[in-house]
C-alpha cells in the first residue's frame, strides 16, 4: 500500500468512528433516557456534548498538528478518544456522561479535519472525486451496521457497551497514525485565534441550549435568553473577524459557491435526517413499542438506498453537475420524510421500509454531491482552512437538526397527542429539507462548473 492510501485509511477509520458515534449512540438514547431518568429533550445532550467538543477543537486542530506534528496529534487524539469512551460506559449520572462525551468529541475532533486535509492534499484533480466516493462509502457503511449492532447491544446487554465497542477502532487508528504518518512540520506558525474559538463555541452552545430549553419543561424566558446570547456571540465573532487577520474561521472562503451551497445542503439533508431519525427512533420504540434492534435495522434500508445513489452519483456527477443532483436529492429525501406521516401502527412496517429507502436514496445523492463539491475550489493551505469550515458545518448540522426537531416535537406535544405530534414534526421536516431549492440558481451550469473533472 502506497503512502497516500495509508493516510487515507487512517482518515477513513477516524471518519468511521465519528459516524458510528452518531448513529449507534442515537439508537441507545431511549434506553439512556430511561436508565438515567432524563427527558427526551435533555438526553439529546449526549449527542450535543460530543458535537461541542468537536467544535471546540476542530478550528485549532490543524495548528496543533503543525505545532506538534500530525503523527503525534492524531495518535494522541485517538488515545483521548479511547479513554473517554471507556469513561462514558462507566458513567453513573447523566451529567458525568455528558462531560465525558464532550471529552470524546475533543478526541474525535482532532483526527477528522487533520486527516481529511492530509488525504485531500494527496489526492488532486480527478482523484479528488474518487476519494470523496470512498469517504461517502464509509458514511454509508457506518449507518448501515452501527444502529443494528447498537440495537442488539441495547436489547441483549446495556447501552454502556455501545460506548465500549468503539475502543478497538480507536486503538487501531492510534497505532496506524504513529507508525505510518511522516509529515514535516512547518518552520513558522501563526498563533491560534483563541478568542475567535471561544466566540464560535459559545455561539453554538448557547443556540443549542436555547432550542433544548424551549422544547422542554423550562420557562420560555430562559430559552430566549440563550438564543439571544447565541446571536450576540455570532455578532461578536463577525466584529472580531473583521479585525483579526488570521481569524479561526476564514469566512472569506464562503465566497466559493460550491462550498457555501454544499454547507446549506448538508443542513437540509444529513442535518434534517439526523433530527428525523432521532424522532423516528423515539416514535418507533416509545409509541409503537418496537425493539431497539428492529429500530436500528431500518438504517440498513437507508444505507442500501444511499449506496445505490452513491454509485450512481460517482458515474454521472461530471456529466449532470451538482445543481441537478442537489435538486433531485432534496426532492427524494423530503418525499421519504413525508412518507413517515403514514406510519400509525406496528403493522405499517412496509411504509417505514419505503420511507427509509427514499430517505437513503435522496440522502446519498445530496450528501455525496456535497462532499465532492465542497472543497473543489481549494488547494494547499486553503484546503486546511476550508476543511475546518466543512467539518464544523458537518458536525453542527447533525446537532442543530436533532435539537431543532426535538424542540418542534415537544412544542407540538403541548397541543396534540403523541402520534399526531410526530406526524406534524415529520411534515415540517420535509418542508425544511426543501429550503435550499431557492439557492440552486447560484451554482454554475454543469459544464462550466465541472469541466475540469473528467469522467
Amino acid at each position: 500500500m502506497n503512502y497516500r492510501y495509508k493516510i487515507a485509511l487512517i482518515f477513513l477509520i477516524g471518519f468511521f468512528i465519528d459516524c458510528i458515534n452518531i448513529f449507534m449512540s442515537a439508537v441507545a438514547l431511549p434506553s439512556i433516557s430511561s436508565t438515567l431518568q432524563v427527558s427526551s429533550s435533555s438526553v439529546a445532550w449526549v449527542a450535543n456534548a460530543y458535537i461541542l467538543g468537536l467544535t471546540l477543537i476542530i478550528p485549532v486542530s490543524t495548528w496543533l498538528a503543525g505545532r506538534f506534528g500530525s503523527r503525534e496529534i492524531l495518535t494522541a487524539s485517538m488515545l483521548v478518544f479511547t479513554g473517554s469512551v471507556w469513561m462514558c460506559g462507566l458513567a453513573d449520572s447523566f451529567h458525568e456522561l455528558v462531560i465525558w462525551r464532550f471529552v470524546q468529541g475533543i478526541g474525535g475532533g482532532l483526527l477528522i479535519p487533520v486527516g481529511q486535509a492530509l488525504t485531500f492534499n494527496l489526492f488532486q484533480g480527478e482523484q479528488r472525486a474518487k476519494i470523496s466516493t470512498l469517504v461517502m462509502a464509509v458514511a454509508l457503511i457506518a449507518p448501515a451496521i452501527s444502529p443494528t449492532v447498537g440495537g442488539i447491544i441495547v436489547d441483549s446487554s446495556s447501552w454502556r457497551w455501545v460506548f465500549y465497542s468503539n475502543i478497538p477502532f480507536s486503538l487501531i487508528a492510534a497505532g496506524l497514525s504513529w507508525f505510518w504518518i511522516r509529515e514535516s512540520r512547518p518552520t513558522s506558525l501563526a498563533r491560534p485565534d483563541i478568542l475567535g474559538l471561544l466566540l464560535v463555541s459559545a455561539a453554538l452552545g448557547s443556540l443549542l441550549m436555547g432550542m433544548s430549553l424551549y422544547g422542554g419543561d423550562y420557562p420560555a424566558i430562559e430559552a430566549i435568553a440563550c438564543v439571544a446570547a447565541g446571536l450576540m456571540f455570532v455578532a461578536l465573532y463577525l466584529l472580531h473577524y473583521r479585525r483579526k487577520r488570521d481569524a479561526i474561521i476564514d469566512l472569506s472562503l464562503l465566497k466559493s459557491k460550491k462550498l457555501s451551497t454544499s454547507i446549506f445542503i448538508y443542513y437540509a439533508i444529513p442535518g434534517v435526517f439526523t433530527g428525523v431519525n432521532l424522532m423516528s427512533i423515539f416514535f418507533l420504540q416509545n409509541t409503537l413499542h418496537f425493539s431497539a434492534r428492529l429500530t436500528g435495522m431500518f438504517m440498513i434500508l437507508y444505507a442500501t438506498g444511499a449506496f445505490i445513489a452513491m454509485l450512481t452519483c460517482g458515474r454521472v456527477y461530471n456529466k449532470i453537475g451538482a445543481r441537478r443532483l442537489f435538486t433531485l436529492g432534496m426532492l427524494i429525501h423530503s418525499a421519504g420524510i413525508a412518507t413517515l406521516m403514514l406510519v400509525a401502527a406496528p403493522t405499517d412496517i412496509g411504509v417505514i421500509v419505503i420511507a427509509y429507502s427514499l430517505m437513503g436514496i435522496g440522502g446519498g445523492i445530496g450528501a455525496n454531491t456535497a462532499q465532492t463539491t465542497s472543497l473543489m475550489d481549494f488547494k494547499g493551505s486553503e484546503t486546511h482552512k476550508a476543511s475546518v469550515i466543512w467539518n464544523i458545518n458537518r458536525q453542527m448540522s447533525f446537532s442543530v437538526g436533532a435539537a431543532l426537531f426535538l424542540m418542534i416535537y415537544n412544542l407540538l406535544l403541548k397541543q396534540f397527542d403523541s402520534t399526531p405530534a410526530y406526524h406534524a414534526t415529520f411534515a415540517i421536516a420535509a418542508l425544511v429539507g426543501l429550503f435550499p431549492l431557492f439557492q440552486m440558481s447560484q451554482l454554475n451550469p454543469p459544464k462550466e462548473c465541472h469541466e475540469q473533472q473528467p469522467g
Side-chain angles (χ1 to χ4, degrees):
M1 184 185 299
N2 63 34
Y3 180 69
R4 67 175 182 170
Y5 279 102
K6 288 181 178 179
I7 299 300
L9 179 60
I10 294 170
F11 166 59
L12 292 174
I13 293 174
F15 187 63
F16 176 79
I17 294 171
D18 180 50
C19 289
I20 64 174
N21 265 278
I22 294 171
F23 292 100
M24 186 181 287
S25 61
V27 79
L29 289 182
S31 178
I32 294 173
S33 175
S34 175
T35 301
L36 300 182
Q37 298 181 338
V38 292
S39 66
S40 60
S41 57
S42 295
V43 80
W45 278 94
V46 174
N48 289 343
Y50 180 74
I51 301 301
L52 286 175
L54 285 164
T55 303
L56 176 65
I57 204 67
I58 281 176
V60 296
S61 58
T62 51
W63 181 86
L64 289 171
R67 174 67 177 82
F68 299 101
S70 296
R71 183 183 73 161
E72 289 78 5
I73 286 299
L74 295 187
T75 303
S77 74
M78 287 296 93
L79 293 178
V80 169
F81 190 96
T82 301
S84 59
V85 293
W86 177 259
M87 296 306 298
C88 284
L90 294 176
D92 291 325
S93 69
F94 179 68
H95 292 96
E96 186 179 350
L97 176 59
V98 168
I99 289 171
W100 285 112
R101 281 287 280 176
F102 177 80
V103 177
Q104 183 187 355
I106 291 176
L110 282 169
L111 186 143
I112 302 300
V114 176
Q116 183 178 30
L118 287 174
T119 301
F120 274 53
N121 278 332
L122 293 171
F123 290 83
Q124 295 289 339
E126 64 183 53
Q127 297 296 320
R128 184 70 62 85
K130 294 181 179 180
I131 194 63
S132 294
T133 300
L134 286 176
V135 171
M136 293 313 301
V138 172
L140 297 178
I141 294 171
I145 64 174
S146 57
T148 304
V149 173
I152 294 173
I153 291 172
V154 171
D155 287 340
S156 62
S157 180
S158 166
W159 58 264
R160 299 180 187 277
W161 282 94
V162 167
F163 296 105
Y164 294 147
S165 62
N166 287 272
I167 293 176
F169 299 104
S170 56
L171 288 177
I172 289 172
L176 294 181
S177 297
W178 182 259
F179 289 108
W180 280 359
I181 295 176
R182 53 175 191 273
E183 292 293 313
S184 59
R185 303 179 190 179
T187 55
S188 61
L189 290 166
R191 293 179 62 84
D193 178 20
I194 300 300
L195 177 58
L197 172 63
L198 293 176
L199 290 173
V200 169
S201 301
L204 177 59
S206 299
L207 292 172
L208 291 176
M209 181 64 75
M211 285 188 284
S212 297
L213 293 177
Y214 196 66
D217 298 323
Y218 300 94
I221 188 65
E222 294 183 15
I224 294 172
C226 286
V227 172
L231 296 176
M232 179 192 70
F233 286 125
V234 170
L236 288 174
Y237 180 78
L238 292 176
L239 291 174
H240 171 76
Y241 172 74
R242 293 175 182 174
R243 300 171 181 173
K244 181 74 174 178
R245 182 176 179 181
D246 296 312
I248 197 73
I249 298 178
D250 188 353
L251 298 179
S252 67
L253 299 179
L254 294 177
K255 293 178 182 178
S256 165
K257 297 300 180 184
K258 295 175 186 176
L259 177 59
S260 59
T261 302
S262 296
I263 287 174
F264 199 9
I265 289 291
Y266 228 83
Y267 278 96
I269 297 183
V272 166
F273 174 75
T274 301
V276 167
N277 185 52
L278 179 60
M279 299 312 305
S280 178
I281 287 170
F282 278 100
F283 178 46
L284 297 179
Q285 291 188 36
N286 292 348
T287 302
L288 301 187
H289 306 295
F290 284 19
S291 67
R293 178 182 180 181
L294 179 57
T295 303
M297 288 181 68
F298 289 119
M299 280 301 298
I300 296 177
L301 299 169
Y302 177 92
T304 301
F307 180 71
I308 295 171
M310 181 197 69
L311 292 179
T312 304
C313 284
R315 293 179 178 273
V316 304
Y317 179 90
N318 299 311
K319 298 178 182 178
I320 295 179
R323 181 168 58 182
R324 293 177 182 174
L325 288 172
F326 279 147
T327 301
L328 180 62
M330 282 185 282
L331 293 173
I332 297 176
H333 185 254
S334 285
I337 296 173
T339 304
L340 288 174
M341 296 169 58
L342 304 176
V343 179
T347 55
D348 293 331
I349 291 181
V351 180
I352 303 174
V353 168
I354 294 172
Y356 270 83
S357 298
L358 288 174
M359 287 189 290
I361 294 171
I365 293 172
N368 187 74
T369 304
Q371 181 70 45
T372 302
T373 305
S374 59
L375 303 182
M376 275 189 169
D377 286 339
F378 309 106
K379 293 181 180 179
S381 61
E382 282 196 340
T383 306
H384 288 263
K385 295 179 181 179
S387 177
V388 167
I389 294 177
W390 176 248
N391 281 286
I392 288 177
N393 154 75
R394 189 174 68 85
Q395 301 296 343
M396 283 176 56
S397 69
F398 299 146
S399 192
V400 170
L404 174 63
F405 293 111
L406 274 170
M407 178 190 74
I408 291 172
Y409 168 74
N410 285 320
L411 290 174
L412 291 170
L413 196 59
K414 297 176 181 179
Q415 304 295 327
F416 304 101
D417 290 335
S418 176
T419 298
Y422 278 117
H423 288 169
T425 303
F426 295 144
I428 293 170
L431 293 175
V432 171
L434 296 175
F435 279 2
L437 285 174
F438 300 104
Q439 195 177 4
M440 289 301 98
S441 60
Q442 296 186 23
L443 287 178
N444 293 329
K447 291 183 179 179
E448 178 184 345
C449 189
H450 307 295
E451 61 184 4
Q452 80 278 16
Q453 293 286 320

